[in-house]
Amino acid sequence: MKACIFDMDGVIVDSAKYHFLAWQRLAEELSIDFDHHDNEALKGLSRVDSLERILIKGGLLLDNNTKEVLMEKKNKWYLEFISDMRPEEVLPGVKEFLVMLKEEGVKIGLGSSSKNAQMILDKTKLAPFFDVVVDGNQVTFSKPDPEVFINGARQLNVLPSEVVVFEDAEAGVDAALSGGFHVIGVGDVNVLSKAEGVIRTFEGLTPSDVRTMLNL
Ligand code: B16
Ligand code: MG
């Protein structure tokens, strides 16, 4: 384990709940039903792919200009939700785990589909931990394509097989596996069953626990 690459939303901060609220508000305006189950399928997808899924669910065909307007609206609401994000919103155990990785000389990367990732890292004061940040502004193909993680591994100068990815979304687990990475799911084992291991939280987790889970 030469490096760890972390997904952001749902892994290091609980911003996934704010994405849900913003998409739900947009879906309501479009008279489309949108619940937690629908939201699960959007986790890890880019903004545009998420909107497309919602429109398909509602049977709506819209032109690109209208889609841009809708995405801007959703992002404006989302930014309002995260504008007050504070270091206290970092999920339990994450900071301690990052400190342990640093002490052991394991490199740390971010691999997020979000275009708002840098802002969240700054607000939560986690930015200094990351050797590399790859986010939705730097990739052509979003998860489940492995580009975001491959790009991160390249910049960290490590091979995918030397990296453990932490992901809360099925699309992200698929992305990591198809890129040849080790992957630990963070959350519900039923949703993340393809991951090599699943944790509910980083609380109490050590790098050596991860090596043991993955036989590294
Ligand atoms: P934005 P992650 C993803 O972040 C979210 O899981 C997903 O719900 C969101 O649509 C996507 O970022 C794009 O985010 O609208 O902020 O650019 O989980 O890959 O860190
Ligand atoms: Mg996520």
Side-chain angles (χ1 to χ4, degrees):
M1 184 168 80
K2 287 194 183 166
C4 288
I5 299 183
F6 296 81
D7 171 55
M8 186 188 69
D9 285 324
V11 169
I12 62 175
V13 284
D14 194 9
S15 43
K17 68 182 177 216
Y18 300 129
H19 280 297
F20 172 65
L21 291 172
W23 283 127
Q24 195 183 41
R25 188 164 166 189
L26 190 77
E28 223 167 76
E29 276 201 0
L30 298 168
S31 302
I32 300 172
D33 282 335
F34 183 77
D35 59 20
H36 278 284
H37 183 256
D38 300 315
N39 188 58
E40 195 58 49
L42 303 189
K43 284 186 181 174
L45 300 190
S46 66
R47 202 178 301 168
V48 64
D49 289 347
S50 303
L51 177 65
E52 296 289 2
R53 294 273 182 113
I54 293 172
L55 296 178
I56 288 170
K57 187 176 184 219
L60 281 185
L61 269 179
L62 301 176
D63 60 68
N64 285 344
N65 282 348
T66 312
K67 287 183 198 168
E68 281 299 329
V69 171
L70 294 178
M71 284 192 287
E72 253 174 56
K73 236 182 190 187
K74 181 266 173 179
N75 196 49
K76 190 175 144 269
W77 292 329
Y78 176 70
L79 290 176
E80 281 167 17
F81 286 129
I82 64 168
S83 64
D84 299 328
M85 194 171 255
R86 309 190 54 79
E88 293 74 47
E89 284 192 63
V90 173
L91 287 167
V94 169
K95 192 166 172 202
E96 292 76 1
F97 188 69
L98 294 175
V99 168
M100 286 185 265
L101 290 178
K102 277 262 171 274
E103 283 168 359
E104 292 193 18
V106 178
K107 293 177 187 173
I108 301 175
L110 190 88
S112 169
S113 303
S114 175
K115 294 185 173 172
N116 299 303
Q118 192 61 53
M119 181 186 175
I120 291 184
L121 289 185
D122 291 339
K123 282 193 178 289
T124 55
K125 306 219 182 309
L126 287 181
F129 284 99
F130 288 85
D131 300 302
V132 156
V133 173
V134 185
D135 66 18
N137 298 297
Q138 296 150 55
V139 294
T140 312
F141 304 107
S142 72
K143 300 168 188 175
D145 189 281
E147 182 184 358
V148 67
F149 297 131
I150 289 175
N151 192 334
R154 200 170 287 144
Q155 290 190 54
L156 289 168
N157 208 16
V158 291
L159 296 170
S161 59
E162 297 168 332
V163 179
V164 178
V165 168
F166 292 88
E167 254 297 344
D168 72 317
E170 196 183 1
V173 169
D174 290 343
L177 289 176
S178 76
F181 294 84
H182 293 285
V183 59
I184 299 271
V186 183
D188 184 347
V189 71
N190 297 313
V191 178
L192 303 166
S193 56
K194 283 181 255 168
E196 291 169 270
V198 177
I199 55 171
R200 279 225 79 99
T201 165
F202 281 91
E203 230 170 351
L205 188 81
T206 66
S208 86
D209 293 335
V210 175
R211 290 192 185 92
T212 307
M213 279 172 90
L214 300 176
N215 289 321
L216 295 176

